[in-house]
Amino acid sequence: MAVAAGGAPPPSSEVPLLYRRGVRRLLTQGIYVALTAVVIGYVYTSLDLREFGFGFLSEPAAFKVGNQWLTDVDGVTNSRITMYLVGVWSSLRAVLVAIALSTVIGVLIGVARLSSNWLVAQMAMLYVEIFRNTPLLVQVVLVYTILLIGAPLIENVVNVGDFFFISNRGMAMPWPVPDSGFWGTPDWFVGVWVAALLAIGFVAQRVRADRQGRERETGQPHYPNRWALGVFAVGAVISFFALGAPVSIDEPVIVGTHYIEGMVMEPEFTALVAGLTLYTSAFIAEIVRGGIQALPRGQTEAANAVGLSGYQRLTLVILPQALRQIIPSVTNQYLNINKNSSLAYAVLYDDLFRVANIVQNKAGHALEMFFVIIVTYMLISFAISVVMNFFNARVTAQRI
Amino acid sequence: MVDMPAQNPQRIVLPPHRERARRPRIVRLREWARRNLFNSRAGTFLTIITAAILALIIYGVVYFVFVDANWRVITENRWLLFAGGYPMDQEWRLWFSVMFVFLLIGLTYGTWASLGRRDHLFIVLASGFAILLLAHGGAAIWSTIWYLIAVGLLYAGYAITIRMPREAGPGRTLQQRSVAGLLIAALPIVLIVLLAFGGARPRELEGFVLNLVLAPVGIVGGLIIAIPLALGRASRMRAISWTCTTYIEVVRGAPLLGWLFVALFILDDVIGGELIVRAMVVLAVFTAAYMAEYIRGALQALPHGQSEAAHAVGLNQFQSMQLIVMPQALRISIPPMVGQAISIWKDTTLVTVILPLRELKGNADSAIAQFEFTPDRIEAYVFVAVVFWVVAFIMSRISQRVEGSLGIGER
Amino acid sequence: MTTETEATPTRDLESMEDIIIAENVDKWFGDFQALDNISMRIKEHEIVVVLGPSGSGKSTFIRCLNRLEEHDAGRIVIDGIEMNDDVRNLNAIRSEVGMVFQQFNLFPHLSVMNNITLGPRKVRRMPKLDADALAMQLLERVGIPEQAEKYPAQLSGGQQQRVAIARALAMQPKIMLFDEPTSALDPEMIKEVLDVMQELARSGMTMIVVTHEMGFAREVADRLIFFDEGSLVEEGTPQHFFENPQEDRTKLFLSQIL
């Protein structure tokens, strides 16, 4: 087969079409696309799509949605899409509170897992093992059941100084509501105050950066965080009163078997948030522990050698490095909280999933409703990812 | 004195090293406590606070378990909780499956790991728990006997396999292959025993049995779909990688409960069949998306040289995947896969939300309606939680041991 | 072991035929040109050592010779088979050309025995017993028959690389490519691998070796080829190279490496 030394190579021949790699790839993909098309076509024809459309969403709702907060829609004059958005708002509340709580508890438990105190470490392990390995649904339902039958009936309500109540209708506590301030009841109050807070926040941030700079230059402590916090707090209080303080505190009252006014934490909300928090914090604790343990032992030893205290060692040396590994996994857990909030369905908390289900029960259109649900979850997930990517970018900005 | 040893060397008796080093047990215990519990003033404070909380929790649990709780709701409905509407005259099918699975666990442990003292303790405790549950009322004697036979099979399988040589060789290979083959065949065998030849209809799978069937179906079905899916996503052919990516992202975008509602309302028109079967399909399809991502991660973690070397020895694309890349990728992805399996096991409870049928959780409810145990629903949920925890614990324990002996992470 | 006189090839390469023909080969990685108009012919039984600084394209070139990289322009003909889009040719060439990698790339999940017999059994459809016998024969040839049942992770680097050579030889290739086979080895293990390669060279195998081992190049090679920045800068006998290099770049490189 080999060619005589220095001889001309065999003339290149045309490759038969069927043996060309490119052609084969194209064929494979063609077959694949055809098969996919057949499957999709089958699904398409088996679904009844004659009435496909989203028009039904703008029709009047004619159902009630519970667990409202800061909204007050009765479902009589409102469209179905409005009610759905109320449900979205309920989901968001539960998700945000659960994210905040599970992060705090998760980090605490994760650090406690590595405590040099044997008892603390064992307790933390127990916490993780229990809540990570039992179904979230059972946790949520169990908490809900305990709240419903473990808590006193509203007739025997636990009354703390006439402003804080606990019963099987939930917890009621005082809450600020709009009221006439020094200059009447301005509608613009919230907007203007939020704008003012943003400006003050910006100033506080500048103060912090300035103090940090001076601390770096002089070596003397300039307490940048305390100063920034102080500036912000003072600014917030001053601006609040300068705008007329049009807010009064609303204390809850029991009328019959219901709370009115005040802020009511319903058992449904509490059960969902508690379940999500217990479950997710156990996972976050493991992530935090893993992130810290992945660091070389030398880091702890070096921090000790420099003479940092235990707290300084954790906040200045260990956590900043561990965060690189922790944040992506924790982001995943936040996305799980978002999706798991659909378990609200089991405790009758009117989140987006339950409201969507009610709409579907009333109006049909299962396919459209599912489409709406999945898009909503994806949007929330996307928002969480964007925020977490921002943090991640900040943490990984400096290469190590 | 100094040169005495030289004259009588045989008379020198040095004090045994260990005795000198070992202090009395109480001293060691005190030393340990000082180091691990009372190492500083803050540490002591922390210990006292934690101990107080622990005491409170223990008191609460003990009070609940032995005083407050009324466990009759569990013991009187244990058949409902365990098997729901499974035909009672077909009980032997359930016990056969239990024995088969226990035997498999014994064989697996004997082949790839070994039972430690903690494993034995766990088996004894779990058995005590099971017998406590079984030893109430009617056919209790027989149930207990069947259960004890199952545990006996576990130890028998273990005793046989642990005595076989572990060194690599044809015998070892044969042993590994047969056990692995049994593991693969286990699910179809159990499904056939439970459902075929006069067994139950799928809709009669209820209670704990349903969860125990759903989870493996989801795991195995998910894995079967996940492998081509992961390869598809990593493929260089645009049409294939794009559709696989879309599949994975869309499935992961919505919660499982949402997909189960699809099984309930939408899939009825598409594939029909019983709701349980549709739920199984959804569970597999859902799991596959997550597993595919773990496999893809493992594929990316695999050194590129592996597939290059496979091509260099003349293997084609398919052979390289089948013989070189996939075996290694699957092995790397075992730890996250086990996490996913445990997650599915817990998620099977969600099926109970969509089943208009009675099921584990539904049973707890129906028991309440039936026996007017309303204030005792907490016991039912606590029991369910404990059972799920035990199975999840067993899964993670087995995987840890097998992982350890497969040497994952120490390539 | 081998003295210089023994290793110096006394074969009559003039009468041999060209087994590898490369004509005007170009290779691009995005905007970066890795190979620029490479033309070369290699005769049967010839031992060619390819030299060059890192990033010079020498690895890319030999990887093109068994299609681990696809060349963008020009022709490569190996043993009369054109390297083109034809799937049949690709498979034919892969089983004619064995390759040994810098990082060994043994399959960690397979025993040494299975590493070697995988190709013969799956590609050549050889019965298991025959493949095992062949593998044992090869392991004896590379000097580690006692390691047959071990796994790669249990072997030293030098042993792993010798298994890799045996694995490549098991396909009974006409040509062997070596991509820096000793660069990842500890110094005390380099010799055991070079000895195996020397023995292989004496047996008449056609070899293309990318290496920085100048001793090997001087003793074993029929021809040295120097690559720089994707081009073939200079080629010639070891004598020519070490005593009378022509190009400035070659001189510079040799002064740095010797």
Side-chain angles (χ1 to χ4, degrees):
Chain A
M1 278 293 270
V3 178
S12 44
S13 54
E14 192 67 12
V15 181
L17 215 53
L18 264 180
Y19 287 110
R20 284 190 199 168
R21 203 144 50 122
V23 174
R24 290 222 168 164
R25 277 200 187 151
L26 220 64
L27 270 179
T28 316
Q29 293 192 69
I31 294 169
Y32 173 82
V33 169
L35 283 177
T36 317
V38 167
V39 171
I40 292 177
Y42 171 73
V43 173
Y44 183 83
T45 47
S46 53
L47 292 171
D48 186 9
L49 294 171
R50 269 167 302 177
E51 301 193 346
F52 190 88
F54 291 91
F56 69 98
L57 281 173
S58 46
E59 285 165 30
F63 62 84
K64 283 186 179 167
V65 165
N67 315 98
Q68 295 189 33
W69 187 60
L70 298 185
T71 52
D72 188 18
V73 289
D74 56 9
V76 178
T77 53
N78 313 95
S79 65
R80 287 168 177 153
I81 191 76
T82 312
M83 304 312 274
Y84 179 72
L85 290 176
V86 170
V88 172
W89 169 226
S90 297
S91 289
L92 282 177
R93 258 154 39 217
V95 167
L96 288 177
V97 176
I99 283 179
L101 287 178
S102 57
T103 308
V104 173
I105 297 176
V107 171
L108 281 179
I109 300 279
V111 172
R113 277 275 264 145
L114 298 169
S115 167
S116 60
N117 189 311
W118 182 82
L119 198 59
V120 172
Q122 294 299 308
M123 285 278 281
M125 193 187 77
L126 199 67
Y127 179 96
V128 170
E129 287 298 330
I130 288 177
F131 292 112
R132 201 174 52 150
N133 281 335
T134 43
L136 174 59
L137 177 70
V138 177
Q139 290 182 28
V140 171
V141 173
L142 184 58
V143 173
Y144 186 55
T145 317
I146 291 173
L147 289 178
L148 281 192
I149 56 183
L153 299 176
I154 195 151
E155 288 82 11
N156 316 322
V157 71
V158 177
N159 184 338
V160 183
D162 263 350
F163 62 83
F164 188 81
F165 301 94
I166 300 176
S167 76
N168 64 354
R169 299 256 173 197
M171 285 181 290
M173 61 195 94
W175 197 253
V177 290
D179 197 358
S180 60
F182 308 142
W183 298 289
T185 315
D187 295 334
W188 42 260
F189 169 73
V190 174
V192 173
W193 197 44
V194 167
L197 285 184
L198 283 178
I200 296 163
F202 181 73
V203 172
Q205 165 69 29
R206 296 305 312 158
V207 170
R208 178 166 176 268
D210 174 55
R211 296 243 145 211
Q212 268 178 339
R214 276 202 267 168
E215 186 169 291
R216 221 172 291 131
E217 275 167 28
T218 61
Q220 298 299 315
H222 278 81
Y223 308 109
N225 289 331
R226 292 182 207 181
W227 267 87
L229 223 68
V231 167
F232 187 78
V234 170
V237 170
I238 292 177
S239 60
F240 178 73
F241 283 105
L243 289 170
V247 166
S248 70
I249 300 297
D250 200 14
E251 290 189 0
V253 182
I254 296 174
V255 175
T257 57
H258 289 277
Y259 298 115
I260 57 168
E261 301 186 339
M263 158 83 159
V264 182
M265 290 253 287
E266 285 136 336
E268 295 84 28
F269 179 83
T270 316
L272 179 63
V273 169
L276 287 173
T277 302
L278 291 173
Y279 187 74
T280 315
S281 61
F283 283 90
I284 292 181
E286 280 300 275
I287 293 167
V288 170
R289 181 184 67 94
I292 293 176
Q293 273 183 339
L295 292 182
R297 267 196 75 76
Q299 290 298 318
T300 310
E301 285 163 6
N304 287 338
V306 181
L308 299 181
S309 75
Y311 179 74
Q312 284 174 324
R313 188 179 68 212
L314 194 66
T315 54
L316 295 178
V317 179
I318 304 298
L319 277 184
Q321 296 184 61
L323 276 182
R324 289 163 176 271
Q325 201 181 333
I326 289 172
I327 287 189
S329 310
V330 165
T331 306
N332 254 334
Q333 291 302 322
Y334 291 172
L335 300 182
N336 283 347
I337 289 185
N338 171 34
K339 285 179 272 177
N340 285 337
S341 69
S342 58
L343 291 192
Y345 187 87
V347 290
L348 315 180
Y349 177 70
D350 284 332
D351 74 328
L352 72 93
F353 193 79
R354 223 178 104 75
V355 175
N357 205 248
I358 299 172
V359 171
Q360 192 226 312
N361 276 342
K362 297 253 172 201
H365 295 280
L367 200 60
E368 292 90 325
M369 254 356 266
F370 186 73
F371 185 75
V372 170
I373 291 172
I374 186 172
V375 169
T376 316
Y377 278 116
M378 280 182 161
L379 284 177
I380 300 174
S381 292
F382 181 70
I384 293 173
S385 304
V386 167
V387 173
M388 293 307 289
N389 283 343
F390 170 75
F391 278 118
N392 201 31
R394 285 198 60 171
V395 168
T396 51
Q398 198 169 10
R399 297 182 128 250
I400 44 174
Chain B
M1 277 300 276
V2 177
D3 45 5
M4 242 189 63
Q7 288 164 355
N8 284 326
Q10 70 270 39
R11 288 191 59 186
I12 299 177
V13 180
L14 283 169
H17 185 68
R18 289 180 71 205
E19 242 169 64
R20 217 173 24 169
R22 281 207 153 188
R23 289 157 303 164
R25 172 164 257 224
I26 184 72
V27 175
R28 273 182 289 138
L29 208 65
R30 212 185 301 153
E31 178 62 20
W32 178 87
R34 199 184 61 75
R35 226 175 317 118
N36 294 301
L37 296 176
F38 310 106
N39 53 355
S40 63
R41 201 177 299 170
T44 308
F45 181 70
L46 203 59
T47 303
I48 292 172
I49 294 281
T50 318
I53 296 173
L54 185 64
L56 262 178
I57 294 173
I58 291 176
Y59 171 78
V61 170
V62 168
Y63 185 81
F64 173 77
V65 171
F66 293 105
V67 182
D68 204 22
N70 180 356
W71 294 110
R72 274 175 58 212
V73 70
I74 308 298
T75 53
E76 303 211 339
N77 297 297
R78 60 174 188 276
W79 177 263
L80 274 179
L81 278 165
F82 182 66
Y86 198 88
M88 274 192 141
D89 52 346
Q90 301 293 325
E91 190 185 353
W92 65 271
R93 293 169 184 270
L94 297 177
W95 281 115
F96 180 87
S97 307
V98 170
M99 288 175 195
F100 180 62
V101 170
F102 272 46
L103 176 68
L104 265 184
I105 293 177
L107 291 174
T108 308
Y109 255 69
T111 305
W112 284 288
S114 60
L115 290 169
R117 204 194 303 164
R118 286 171 70 177
D119 299 301
H120 291 297
L121 183 70
F122 179 78
I123 293 174
V124 170
L125 282 178
S127 298
F129 178 68
I131 290 172
L132 198 71
L133 189 69
L134 293 168
H136 274 273
I141 305 293
W142 282 111
S143 304
T144 312
I145 291 173
W146 297 138
Y147 178 80
L148 287 176
I149 291 176
V151 176
L153 281 172
L154 192 159
Y155 274 105
Y158 177 71
I160 292 168
T161 44
I162 197 77
R163 280 182 175 73
M164 292 184 175
R166 288 256 173 138
E167 298 83 54
R172 173 74 177 157
T173 314
L174 184 68
Q175 182 194 352
Q176 285 179 336
R177 288 217 179 130
S178 356
V179 176
L182 264 182
L183 282 172
I184 292 169
L187 182 61
I189 290 177
V190 168
L191 284 180
I192 288 171
V193 168
L194 288 182
L195 301 173
F197 307 117
R201 285 169 296 159
R203 56 166 303 151
E204 288 174 329
L205 290 176
E206 282 183 22
F208 201 40
V209 170
L210 175 61
N211 299 83
L212 284 171
V213 168
L214 281 175
V217 168
I219 293 164
V220 174
L223 192 61
I224 291 171
I225 308 175
I227 292 173
L229 204 57
L231 292 177
R233 185 166 187 177
S235 166
R236 266 179 298 184
M237 301 190 212
R238 288 279 171 76
I240 295 178
S241 79
W242 191 83
T243 39
C244 289
T245 309
T246 312
Y247 172 100
I248 290 170
E249 294 304 332
V250 169
V251 167
R252 279 153 42 101
L256 177 57
L257 198 56
W259 291 112
L260 288 171
F261 271 86
V262 170
L264 191 60
F265 293 117
I266 301 175
L267 281 190
D268 196 15
D269 299 334
V270 182
I271 54 177
E274 288 193 29
L275 179 56
I276 299 241
V277 179
R278 276 180 271 146
M280 284 176 181
V281 171
V282 161
L283 212 52
V285 160
F286 179 82
T287 309
Y290 288 81
M291 285 184 163
E293 284 297 270
Y294 295 132
I295 297 175
R296 189 174 68 110
L299 287 176
Q300 285 172 349
L302 207 65
H304 200 56
Q306 287 295 312
S307 61
E308 282 185 353
H311 289 313
V313 299
L315 301 182
N316 62 31
Q317 185 70 27
F318 179 79
Q319 287 172 322
S320 148
M321 271 298 158
Q322 178 213 348
L323 299 167
I324 304 300
V325 177
M326 260 305 150
Q328 295 185 60
L330 288 180
R331 194 181 283 201
I332 296 174
S333 57
I334 284 182
M337 289 288 208
V338 170
Q340 184 62 30
I342 294 176
S343 173
I344 299 162
W345 164 243
K346 291 178 290 182
D347 281 347
T348 54
T349 50
L350 294 187
V351 177
T352 65
V353 175
I354 63 150
L355 280 187
L357 312 168
R358 296 172 308 165
E359 209 276 294
L360 191 52
K361 173 186 154 300
N363 275 339
D365 280 339
S366 67
I368 292 148
Q370 210 173 333
F371 298 101
E372 298 179 342
F373 274 118
T374 316
D376 293 331
R377 285 168 72 184
I378 290 178
E379 284 86 337
Y381 293 128
V382 168
F383 176 75
V384 170
V386 169
V387 170
F388 270 91
W389 185 87
V390 168
V391 175
F393 182 80
I394 294 173
M395 286 166 84
S396 66
R397 190 99 186 113
I398 292 179
S399 79
Q400 274 172 17
R401 300 304 297 269
V402 174
E403 266 168 43
S405 69
L406 282 178
I408 287 157
E410 23 184 306
R411 283 164 36 90
Chain C
M1 272 198 60
T2 29
T3 65
E4 205 164 321
T5 43
E6 267 177 14
T8 309
T10 52
R11 293 158 292 160
D12 178 21
L13 283 171
E14 289 304 310
S15 64
M16 289 297 159
E17 298 179 318
D18 289 336
I19 196 166
I20 297 176
I21 302 172
E23 282 190 343
N24 312 86
V25 172
D26 285 350
K27 170 71 190 169
W28 293 80
F29 290 114
D31 288 340
F32 173 73
Q33 185 161 18
L35 294 177
D36 184 5
N37 201 23
I38 305 289
S39 295
M40 143 187 336
R41 286 172 177 240
I42 292 171
K43 294 193 166 77
E44 233 176 321
H45 306 307
E46 193 174 1
I47 316 288
V48 175
V49 166
V50 183
L51 303 171
S54 62
S56 60
K58 56 192 193 305
S59 280
T60 309
F61 178 67
I62 74 164
R63 285 161 62 83
C64 280
L65 294 182
N66 74 341
R67 256 285 151 116
L68 289 179
E69 307 285 356
E70 288 174 37
H71 57 285
D72 295 313
R75 293 181 66 193
I76 297 176
V77 179
I78 294 192
D79 201 18
I81 309 167
E82 169 112 36
M83 192 168 293
N84 56 13
D85 212 17
D86 193 326
V87 280
R88 295 169 302 177
N89 288 3
L90 178 65
N91 292 338
I93 286 172
R94 286 250 170 91
S95 33
E96 299 250 322
V97 182
M99 178 137 185
V100 175
F101 300 87
Q102 180 179 357
Q103 298 294 343
F104 330 138
N105 292 346
L106 291 181
F107 307 129
H109 61 303
L110 300 177
S111 68
V112 165
M113 201 63 169
N114 285 333
N115 260 284
I116 299 173
T117 58
L118 188 70
R121 281 165 57 198
K122 298 295 172 181
V123 182
R124 294 233 192 270
R125 302 285 165 207
M126 194 184 276
K128 183 172 167 20
L129 281 179
D130 296 358
D132 285 354
L134 172 67
M136 273 321 288
Q137 200 186 321
L138 288 169
L139 279 174
E140 266 159 36
R141 190 167 167 193
V142 300
I144 40 173
E146 71 283 0
Q147 312 286 2
E149 290 308 323
K150 290 200 177 158
Y151 282 80
Q154 297 168 297
L155 303 182
S156 74
Q159 291 171 330
Q160 289 195 40
Q161 193 61 298
R162 287 192 274 166
V163 172
I165 294 173
R167 177 176 71 179
L169 288 175
M171 290 298 288
Q172 290 154 332
K174 288 191 174 167
I175 304 164
M176 285 282 280
L177 308 175
F178 292 83
D179 189 359
E180 305 203 18
T182 54
S183 301
L185 293 175
D186 292 335
E188 72 270 22
M189 295 171 181
I190 290 178
K191 187 168 177 305
E192 63 186 59
V193 172
L194 289 182
D195 284 346
V196 168
M197 288 167 63
Q198 222 155 25
E199 187 271 329
L200 197 60
R202 262 178 290 144
S203 75
M205 176 67 73
T206 312
M207 290 165 65
I208 304 172
V209 185
V210 173
T211 189
H212 295 299
E213 292 296 324
M214 288 304 141
F216 179 84
R218 198 193 293 261
E219 284 178 29
V220 183
D222 297 309
R223 182 150 55 119
L224 264 58
I225 294 178
F226 177 67
F227 270 72
D228 195 25
E229 293 177 347
S231 320
L232 198 162
V233 176
E234 190 167 357
E235 61 180 312
T237 61
Q239 214 172 0
H240 160 85
F241 243 80
F242 291 112
E243 283 157 25
N244 190 20
Q246 297 299 308
E247 301 285 331
D248 291 340
R249 282 193 278 181
T250 317
K251 288 176 192 161
L252 180 67
F253 174 74
L254 288 173
S255 71
Q256 284 166 342
I257 204 159
L258 286 174

